[in-house]
């Protein structure tokens, strides 16, 4: 497996987890977990989602240029 795919897959996973944490922290998913309504999870989720987006974009740019690592 080429290294660039680790960036892409890691970015997608971090982005998805970050969005999930933002939704849970903001209470948008109802009362189905321990993170519901806890505002620190909204902030943590936003940071994780941002890191995931950066990894995803960096990986896709490397794929486009042909630097598969």
């Amino acid at each position: 497996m080429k290294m660039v795919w680790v960036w892409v897959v890691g970015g997608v996973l971090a982005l998805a987890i970050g969005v999930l944490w933002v939704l849970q922290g903001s209470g948008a998913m109802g009362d189905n977990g321990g993170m519901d309504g806890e505002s620190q999870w909204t902030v943590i989720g936003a940071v994780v989602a941002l890191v995931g987006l950066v990894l995803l974009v960096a990986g896709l740019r490397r794929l486009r240029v042909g630097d598969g690592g």
Side-chain angles (χ1 to χ4, degrees):
M1 184 165 144
K2 294 183 177 186
M3 186 64 181
V4 69
W5 286 108
V6 173
W7 288 54
V8 172
V9 172
V12 168
L13 289 175
L15 183 60
I17 290 169
V19 168
L20 176 66
W21 286 353
V22 166
L23 291 173
Q24 285 184 327
S26 65
M29 296 188 69
D31 293 330
N32 60 357
M35 292 193 282
D36 291 331
E38 298 289 333
S39 61
Q40 77 262 19
W41 288 107
T42 305
V43 174
I44 293 169
V47 171
V48 170
L50 181 62
V51 168
L53 186 62
V54 168
L55 286 173
L56 179 61
V57 168
L60 291 175
R61 283 187 177 177
R62 293 183 108 191
L63 272 177
R64 181 175 288 172
V65 196
D67 181 23

